[in-house]
Amino acid sequence: LLFVGNDFARKGGDLLVELMRTRLAGRYELVVVSTDPSLAGARWPEGVRHVPGLAGEALREAYRAADAFVLPTRRDHSSWV
């Protein structure tokens, strides 16, 4: 699973991390691509890998490698993905 975005809580990243912690650990991997300052020093549960920022070809490769892109946003009426 791939999550890409800043403003981590508003974009629902915390929901994904909790889901990984409680239901999906050991079954899936979640890659979080974000430069959100609130994530500095965060402790990630099993199966979650934080990449502090990707751009260009490296980001395109992350999308290609993912089975699914996830963005359970809370307050985006027209989110750009």
Side-chain angles (χ1 to χ4, degrees):
L1 304 174
L2 176 66
F3 171 93
V4 178
N6 293 321
D7 201 350
F8 194 69
R10 183 173 60 88
K11 299 289 186 181
D14 58 331
L15 297 172
L16 290 172
V17 170
E18 184 59 23
L19 186 61
M20 288 296 294
R21 183 183 336 275
T22 59
R23 300 197 178 208
L24 302 179
R27 297 174 52 199
Y28 296 94
E29 177 184 85
L30 171 64
V31 177
V32 174
V33 178
S34 180
T35 57
D36 189 317
S38 72
L39 302 180
R43 292 178 44 176
W44 301 97
E46 175 189 349
V48 179
R49 181 168 53 98
H50 176 226
V51 181
L54 292 176
E57 186 57 32
L59 182 57
R60 286 188 288 279
E61 181 55 36
Y63 277 101
R64 283 191 290 270
D67 290 320
F69 174 77
V70 288
L71 185 70
T73 185
R74 290 186 164 103
R75 285 178 248 144
D76 283 315
H77 300 288
S78 58
S79 183
W80 293 21
V81 180

